[in-house]
Amino acid sequence: MATSDTSKTDGSGVLKSLGNEDVSDIQVYAEDEQPPNSQRRHKPQFFRSTLFQLLVVSLCAFSAPGIWSAMNGLGVGGSQSPNLVNAANALLYAFMTVTCFAGPFITNIIGFRWTLALGSIGYPLYAAGLYTNNRFGTIWLVYVGAVACGISAGFFWSVEGAIATGYPEQHKRGRYIATWFSFRNMGNVIGGAISLALNHSVQRKGQVGYQTYLGFIAIQCMGLVFGLFLSNPEKVQRDDGTKIEAPRGIDWRTELRVMWRLARSRSILLLTPLFWYFGWMQAYPGTYLATYFTVRARALGSFMSAIVGTLATWLAGVLVDIPWHKDRKVRAISTYVLVAALNSATWIWAVYIQNEYRHTKPTLDWANQSTFARGFGLYMFERISLAMVENYIYWCIGNLSDSPGDQIRYSSLLRGIETAGVAVSFGVQAVPTALIVTACINCGFWFAALPFSYYATVEVVRKVRKPAL
């Protein structure tokens, strides 16, 4: 059974003994152990339960990054000019990379609740910039909104990942992560439905109607309100009675030392190529959609990508959680093989289709099914593959440690790497760069990440199987 020794560990030995400056007070139990009577609880209060906390962070994910994804799901924010929005997104993710790495330091000062709430305030400013550009041709507010969103979103990303992966009980994490992503995808569903209703008759390339953004802005303003309902880790009640404390007031030098040790850990190094790939490839689907599809086809793409993405993320979550096989290693590696095969086939297909389109330069609309189906099908599979990778890598993070205090460090490091990849990718795409080049680079990064991600899977399963100290 776990003991409350003064020397703590995250399971990999990275956080062992920092003298009197302790960074984690959590007690962890093996799967076949029970907490002592002093820690057993009756049924948790709903508003303090891990389910309620998951619903709070999911609603925030829906209203802030979910609606942001809905706008970009229209193809570069629904704009007629891919270059402007790609440049703004590169700027956004550059700022976001910095603030994502700074997430643990901010959370240490103001706590999880306020970091989540305040992290959502930049999103409606981003949408406002796209609205004024769409309606009045204003450019400067697009960049101001991108900077504001980048600064706040970095804090949001670091803390939401820690909540979704660190708050739930271990045996629920795959499904809870799927729920989190489902709410985020619901932003795409609603946003896509709004856009499709407003633009269903527009059978040409160009920008979406400016009315589309008004609904987006209204929903995004709710993120701040939803975030205030979150409980900080020490107040959360798990149904197995285990504590999930994440101490605050840690000296910044201690925090920096812990972050540096984690950055050099085997788990982080093995997951880095996969997170870089995941960030890098995100600029391609939206630019592809804006380049070849009519306005109403882009709206349909935004709507449908959320639906297939939700189904895909649940498939990945269920495969690692539900005991269809008694050995968790078998479940994890089987899920990895499925994700790997689907992504590999998708990018080979993407390079083939993109090579054709660079010569034919089609305008695709559902009125012409013979040409539309192939191109649209590729976009759907790109979104399915992206969703399965996203769920799987956060399942990996969620099983590296049981403490939200450690989870926010893992999330900040890996999401910082991810946002750096996104920033570079949008910057390259804004030059602009031929889509065949981008597709080939995406394919190359994916195959380069494959062996590292396999060994990361084995490492994560080994941590899960280790008995508690």
Side-chain angles (χ1 to χ4, degrees), residues 72-77 82 86 281-291 298 379 382-383 426:
N72 280 271
L74 297 172
V76 291
N86 279 334
M281 65 85 58
Q282 292 184 39
Y284 175 81
T287 306
Y288 168 82
L289 199 66
T291 302
R298 288 159 63 182
Y379 180 73
E382 287 171 355
R383 291 301 184 184
F426 274 113

Side-chain angles (χ1 to χ4, degrees), residues 94-405:
F95 277 90
M96 191 172 171
T97 300
V98 176
T99 55
C100 203
F101 284 125
F105 299 92
I106 297 299
T107 306
N108 186 35
I109 297 171
I110 65 176
F112 281 67
R113 176 170 172 256
W114 282 105
T115 304
L116 181 69
L118 296 178
S120 66
I121 62 177
Y123 285 94
L125 297 177
Y126 177 90
L130 294 182
Y131 168 78
T132 57
N133 174 257
N134 185 293
R135 187 169 186 182
F136 306 112
T138 307
I139 294 178
W140 66 269
L141 191 57
V142 174
Y143 291 110
V144 170
V147 171
C149 187
I151 292 172
S152 70
F155 301 135
F156 185 97
W157 272 39
S158 65
V159 76
E160 70 157 344
I163 295 165
T165 59
Y167 274 33
E169 298 83 353
Q170 190 179 85
H171 62 282
K172 296 180 180 179
R173 284 180 186 161
R175 287 162 291 172
Y176 274 23
I177 290 171
T179 302
W180 168 39
F181 287 137
S182 295
F183 272 81
R184 177 179 288 196
N185 286 335
M186 194 59 64
N188 260 338
V189 172
I190 293 178
I194 292 172
S195 179
L196 189 60
L198 294 173
N199 301 287
H200 67 278
S201 61
V202 185
Q203 302 184 47
R204 56 171 173 76
K205 292 183 181 179
Q207 61 188 21
V208 302
Y210 66 83
Q211 300 92 338
T212 307
Y213 296 99
L214 297 177
F216 290 158
I217 294 171
I219 296 172
Q220 286 184 322
C221 288
M222 295 300 296
L224 174 63
V225 178
F226 292 140
L228 296 176
F229 286 94
L230 185 78
S231 295
N232 281 320
E234 65 274 10
K235 296 182 179 180
V236 177
Q237 301 172 6
R238 281 179 171 169
D239 61 16
D240 60 6
T242 54
K243 302 287 187 181
I244 53 172
E245 296 177 357
R248 289 165 55 184
I250 300 170
D251 180 73
W252 68 268
R253 288 179 290 269
T254 301
E255 188 71 54
L256 189 62
R257 187 161 66 250
V258 174
M259 290 282 286
W260 175 240
R261 290 187 182 186
L262 281 179
R264 294 178 295 152
S265 68
R266 180 182 176 88
S267 300
I268 292 290
L269 294 176
L270 287 173
L271 284 170
T272 292
L274 189 59
F275 268 84
W276 177 266
Y277 155 77
F278 179 68
W280 174 273
M281 65 85 58
Q282 292 184 39
Y284 175 81
T287 306
Y288 168 82
L289 199 66
T291 302
Y292 299 116
F293 292 82
T294 62
V295 171
R296 68 176 186 174
R298 288 159 63 182
L300 179 64
S302 177
F303 178 71
M304 289 299 301
S305 66
I307 295 176
V308 298
T310 299
L311 295 175
T313 196
W314 268 101
L315 175 60
V318 166
L319 284 176
V320 292
D321 260 7
I322 300 297
W324 55 270
H325 192 284
K326 63 180 180 180
D327 191 336
R328 183 180 286 237
K329 181 178 180 180
V330 172
R331 302 201 304 266
I333 292 179
S334 298
T335 305
Y336 166 80
V337 169
L338 174 62
V339 172
L342 184 61
N343 270 266
S344 300
T346 297
W347 283 118
I348 293 172
W349 184 18
V351 171
Y352 177 81
I353 291 289
Q354 195 61 71
N355 185 56
E356 175 187 326
Y357 284 0
R358 70 181 175 129
H359 299 296
T360 60
K361 296 180 172 58
T363 298
L364 303 175
D365 184 81
W366 67 63
N368 187 350
Q369 288 292 322
S370 61
T371 57
F372 176 75
R374 292 172 67 241
F376 194 75
L378 172 61
Y379 180 73
M380 289 294 100
F381 272 95
E382 287 171 355
R383 291 301 184 184
I384 291 170
S385 301
L386 183 70
M388 295 193 73
V389 169
E390 188 172 33
N391 182 284
Y392 193 67
I393 58 181
Y394 283 102
W395 177 84
C396 289
I397 290 180
N399 285 282
L400 290 177
S401 172
D402 202 44
S403 166

